[in-house]
Amino acid sequence: MSLQDITARIAKAETSSGRSDGSVKLIAVSKVQPNERVQAVLEQGHRCFGENRVQEAAGKWPAFKEQYSDIDLHLIGPLQTNKARQAMELCNAIHSVDRPKLAKTLARLAQEIGSCPNLFIQVNTGEEDQKAGILPADADGFVAECNELDLPVRGLMCIPPIDEEPSLHFALLAKIAARNGLKGLSMGMSSDFEQAIALGATHVRVGSAIFGERVKPQG
């Protein structure tokens, strides 16, 4: 696979789903990828990237942003409240708003900073104990709470259980978003992004298919 292969598959999925060209944003997941691989993708003209950890993003992206002014950086992994300010200053979007305490922290910091990245609420569609996210039954109330805090919630995000049919989870997420008037759907990864696009995904997260397998740290 390559960046061109993935973008071609996204374009084909948009067409076959009756979606307009360019309606789906490709987030190239660059977590634990060496800088030279990221640089190669940047040199191909891609600008939207996803990181899992604030600390890794802080060590990688400021230098790239000096070279490329139009980088669109998305935090797609869990966010601790003590890293929230750093995340807001680094990222254009945060996909992992998953609890009231974090929402309140983001709202307070947004007032202090004077701006806020676009936000996606993470929904634990599989109701998995080990996974972050608001439970589906609590999603409507949490969206309302975030709206009351004047947060710029643009959509919802989910990571389906690995042993279940992902389309069921994509459809559930789309249903929750629709009834809350949210247009953004961050769903779909390397193995299932075409299914996600068919069910309304606006952001798909693809890593190893673009960059190659992750490089494990030495030692």
Side-chain angles (χ1 to χ4, degrees):
M1 282 291 144
S2 67
L3 178 64
Q4 287 78 13
D5 293 329
I6 298 297
T7 53
R9 285 171 59 187
I10 288 172
K12 185 177 179 181
E14 286 172 339
T15 300
S16 62
S17 303
R19 308 276 301 277
S20 59
D21 290 346
S23 59
V24 179
K25 178 173 281 194
L26 169 60
I27 302 173
V29 180
S30 50
K31 64 180 183 180
V32 301
Q33 292 290 351
N35 283 358
E36 57 268 23
R37 290 187 184 178
V38 177
Q39 182 90 46
V41 174
L42 281 161
E43 287 175 359
Q44 292 175 71
H46 194 73
R47 293 293 182 269
C48 183
F49 293 83
E51 290 285 342
N52 254 39
R53 296 172 63 243
V54 176
Q55 190 171 348
E56 184 182 350
K60 181 186 296 180
W61 286 101
F64 282 133
K65 286 184 174 185
E66 289 182 10
Q67 288 181 269
Y68 306 93
S69 61
D70 52 348
I71 284 171
D72 181 20
L73 187 61
H74 294 237
L75 182 71
I76 57 175
L79 177 59
Q80 298 171 320
T81 52
N82 65 348
K83 302 279 188 186
R85 179 184 291 275
Q86 192 175 22
M88 291 174 76
E89 292 171 345
L90 270 173
C91 300
N92 302 91
I94 296 170
H95 291 238
S96 47
V97 181
D98 61 357
R99 59 198 186 281
K101 181 183 178 183
L102 178 58
K104 289 170 184 172
T105 299
L106 293 169
R108 174 178 58 78
L109 291 170
Q111 291 294 320
E112 291 179 18
I113 297 168
S115 63
C116 186
N118 289 329
L119 302 177
F120 290 75
I121 291 171
Q122 183 172 352
V123 181
N124 185 354
T125 55
E127 302 186 26
E128 297 173 275
D129 291 339
Q130 78 280 13
K131 196 172 283 181
I134 292 288
L135 294 176
D138 299 329
D140 295 357
F142 187 55
V143 171
E145 183 176 348
C146 290
N147 288 337
E148 287 172 9
L149 291 168
D150 204 26
L151 289 171
V153 175
R154 302 295 181 231
L156 306 177
M157 182 269 260
C158 77
I159 305 170
I162 57 172
D163 57 349
E164 293 187 19
E165 169 54 51
S167 292
L168 299 174
H169 296 270
F170 299 153
L172 173 59
L173 197 74
K175 184 177 179 182
I176 297 171
R179 70 173 180 244
N180 284 284
L182 296 172
K183 299 192 182 301
L185 288 169
S186 174
M187 60 188 195
M189 296 186 281
S190 294
S191 61
D192 54 27
F193 67 83
E194 281 126 331
Q195 292 169 270
I197 291 169
L199 288 163
T202 57
H203 296 68
V204 296
R205 310 180 300 271
V206 180
S208 57
I210 294 171
F211 294 100
E213 289 303 315
R214 293 177 202 157
V215 177
K216 292 182 179 178
Q218 297 297 314

